[in-house]
Amino acid sequence: MSDQPGASSTAVPRQLPLAARHFTGRVEHLAALDALLPDESDDTCAGVISAVDGTAGVGKTALAVRWSYRVQHHFPDGTLYANLRGYGPGDPATPGEILGGFLGALGVSAQQIPAGLEAQAGLYRSELARRRVLIVLDNASAAEQVRPMLPGGPGCAVVVTSRASLTGLVVGEGATRVTLGLLTEREAVELVRATLGHQRADAEPDAVIELIKACARLPLALRIAAGRAAARPYLTVADLVAELGSERGRWEALSVSADERTSVRAVFGWSYHQLTGAQARMFRRLGLHPGPEISLHAAAAAAGVDVLEARRLLNALAESHLIEPIARDRYRIHDLLRAYAIDRADHDDTPGDRNHALRTLAEWYAHHARIAYQAIIPWNADWHAAADLDTHARPEIAFPGSVEAWAWFDRECVNVIAMVRAATRHHGLSPLAILMADVFAQALSHLATWDDALEVARLGLAAARRIGDRAAECYLLQSQGVAHQGAAHQQEAIDAFQAALALARELDDVELWALVLSYLGWVCVAQEQYAQAQEYLRSALPLVPDPKRGRLGSFIEYNLSGVYIGLGDYDQAFRHAERSLAYFRVIGYRDPEIYALHQMARARQGVGAHPDAIALCEQALAIGEPRCRDPQHRAVLLDTLGTSLLHTGDVTRAIACWREAIAIFDDLGVDRADDLRERLGALETG
């Protein structure tokens, strides 16, 4: 140690606490810290500051201490450590308290330590001048708590850990931020195996994965849970997972008796209780959101604030690592913090507050699902269950066209499905669940995501039956039938439509009756039952209240065209397809023309008029880009186009069309890809 003013001869301080056992993973983070080591050969090299941030229990202290043990030999003049108590029981440590301890460790006697903070900080910087010391400032609450302990000269390194992002240190002092996220699944498995013992962990590999999910890959939770099982040989991992599955059992399983520092709930609480009232309320509202992520606008709706205030509150929660920004104006909260937020809502909010927040969220999603659907399929705007339900949303998002509406569907699909599940569990939210379910089932069927479409249709159907809404039940049976047909569940599709037909007759709703008959005709065409399809469709035509409205008439004519294509009467098929196109044009929307144009192309292809078929297919494809979001129909169109191109000798374009169609079919998992691949293979090798 160099001789310094005010210093006395003393041992080199090595103050690091005990390193966590079974430290696993974090290779990239350790490497990032290694890269920040000051150059030992350059006495003019500026000191470095690393700010390790992350949520509660994510292992910030474990990482900082592990790394410090690895590198402290680079700092011959000592390692200083202090827990700043920024988050935890008791009051945070004051800079004066820490500086006094550090000065003493550096050999300054108590009598030589000045009284004022500025003087203490000046003496501290003097003591560190021309020394190489590693300083670990653990559990800081804010940049202001840290600044007095920062050295002024080169040769030293500082590692600060905090649940806050410490942006002030990054901006003001040039600190390098190292953000610690949740463990990867592989790292989490390694931690459980090391804590529990390889033999016990390997005996229940599936339960270990479930344990990791229940603990949200949070290191503190995994250490406590696996340690609990390790201390109780009779407790299986599956038993532990079952404990974690209940609200009460979860927090008991994630705590160690009489040790608040090893209780996940208490550790989360230290962050929660530092929030302002508005921030805490927003955090609780996020816990009530059932989806895996939330948008700025949905969060504003849940909290009952405007967008600017919501952004301010969400940014504060993100700074505290209670939520994680994942994209512009989108956030997520890991499962254990979500459970804690729900727990706080149960304690801090009234049942009325919680129910109001959930209803507001459900109505926000239902309203936007409705208006997005109207932007995508405006000609069918009132052809869904609960179409007459009045909904409102604040803040409201506008959808200028189908592109923006489809983008919203893409972003919110998982959230809406989760919201439908949540709404079906609350009797008072059943109408909103029905609305969301039917609209999303239809949208998901357009995207050929049949499993999701079937799930939301099933949930909506259960809600409709629960409240006795027979018309909604009829609509949802039709949505279920469409999804079953798309998923190649042919009998289930027929059964769903037959049940819907019985309901339509019972309700004596002529237009609904005609609609169900039309769908039965459609599904029979798809199943090549042309005589039965013709009977259904001919029965539907007289029931259409006003064919000039175009909507239902065009659908019936489209399906009749399919009947005659199947029967080989291509002239008749073309006439019906032309009428379908004319009806579509009456209602003034171009997108549905795609389907009629394709039928016309198939009819012309059937009589060998391939140039006409090519022109009609190209016209349909031009309408479909980029507005139409029906990938399966695009693939079918490309198949038809490729066939006619091949007949005209344009082999290169035919191959390109078929390859694109195969890629779409493969992506959707549609069996039709195999037949097309066989035809393409024969063409390419022939």
Side-chain angles (χ1 to χ4, degrees), residues 189-507:
V189 169
E190 290 175 1
L191 179 56
V192 171
R193 293 179 80 239
T195 306
L196 181 60
H198 294 185
Q199 185 174 0
R200 287 186 65 188
D202 293 345
E204 297 182 82
D206 293 340
V208 166
I209 296 300
E210 291 302 313
L211 175 65
I212 288 167
K213 290 179 182 177
C215 292
R217 292 182 281 118
L218 188 71
L220 176 62
L222 286 168
R223 289 183 187 278
I224 294 171
R228 183 183 183 89
R232 300 180 182 183
Y234 57 84
L235 183 68
T236 67
V237 179
D239 291 337
L240 183 57
V241 171
E243 287 184 31
L244 291 166
S246 69
E247 290 300 319
R248 181 175 179 180
R250 176 187 295 119
W251 303 120
E252 290 183 358
L254 296 179
S255 63
V256 176
S257 299
D259 187 352
E260 194 175 22
R261 293 184 181 276
T262 51
S263 165
V264 172
R265 187 177 183 178
V267 169
F268 286 168
W270 297 336
S271 291
Y272 176 77
H273 291 299
Q274 290 204 8
L275 301 175
T276 67
Q279 292 165 0
R281 184 172 182 274
M282 173 63 86
F283 178 67
R284 298 193 301 272
R285 293 297 176 266
L286 297 182
L288 296 176
H289 183 265
E293 60 185 61
I294 191 168
S295 70
L296 168 66
H297 289 75
V305 298
D306 62 33
V307 171
L308 290 177
E309 175 67 3
R311 180 178 281 114
R312 187 181 69 80
L313 295 172
L314 292 167
N315 286 342
L317 294 176
E319 283 285 319
S320 299
H321 288 286
L322 288 169
I323 62 173
E324 177 187 3
I326 56 172
R328 178 177 172 80
D329 292 339
R330 296 193 74 80
Y331 306 84
R332 69 181 169 208
I333 176 171
H334 74 65
D335 289 345
L336 275 180
L337 274 170
R338 181 191 304 280
Y340 180 73
I342 293 171
D343 184 65
R344 293 311 320 179
D346 288 342
H347 284 82
D348 299 347
D349 293 324
T350 67
D353 289 337
R354 296 193 299 273
N355 289 336
H356 176 74
L358 186 59
R359 168 172 282 281
T360 300
L361 268 173
E363 185 166 14
W364 189 89
Y365 279 109
H367 179 79
H368 287 95
R370 179 211 296 277
I371 64 174
Y373 184 76
Q374 290 171 348
I376 291 166
I377 314 176
W379 57 94
N380 279 359
D382 60 344
W383 265 9
H384 62 78
D388 58 349
L389 181 66
D390 190 25
T391 59
H392 305 276
R394 184 178 297 175
E396 184 178 43
I397 302 171
F399 301 117
S402 62
V403 172
E404 295 81 3
W406 273 123
W408 185 84
F409 269 114
D410 288 341
R411 289 192 304 270
E412 300 296 347
C413 180
V414 176
N415 285 329
V416 173
I417 294 172
M419 184 56 72
V420 172
R421 292 193 196 105
T424 55
R425 293 193 293 268
H426 293 76
H427 185 80
L429 301 182
S430 291
L432 294 169
I434 290 166
L435 172 58
M436 287 185 283
D438 203 28
V439 166
F440 254 77
Q442 294 184 50
L444 291 165
S445 290
H446 270 274
L447 298 174
T449 50
W450 309 117
D451 289 344
D452 287 341
L454 282 168
E455 182 187 2
V456 294
R458 177 183 58 78
L459 290 167
L461 191 58
R465 286 170 174 165
R466 186 179 305 114
I467 63 173
D469 189 335
R470 306 288 275 167
E473 184 179 350
C474 186
Y475 276 110
L476 283 153
L477 280 166
Q478 292 175 78
S479 293
Q480 191 176 61
V482 170
H484 274 308
Q485 178 60 33
H489 305 157
Q490 295 186 347
Q491 189 55 51
E492 291 89 339
I494 291 290
D495 291 345
F497 285 121
Q498 290 287 3
L501 183 61
L503 270 175
R505 286 172 173 159
E506 177 186 322
L507 292 167

Side-chain angles (χ1 to χ4, degrees), residues 584-601:
F584 277 133
R585 286 177 173 168
V586 165
I587 60 177
Y589 297 106
R590 292 204 68 200
D591 290 1
E593 294 180 17
I594 298 166
Y595 303 99
L597 287 166
H598 183 213
Q599 291 290 67
M600 292 168 67

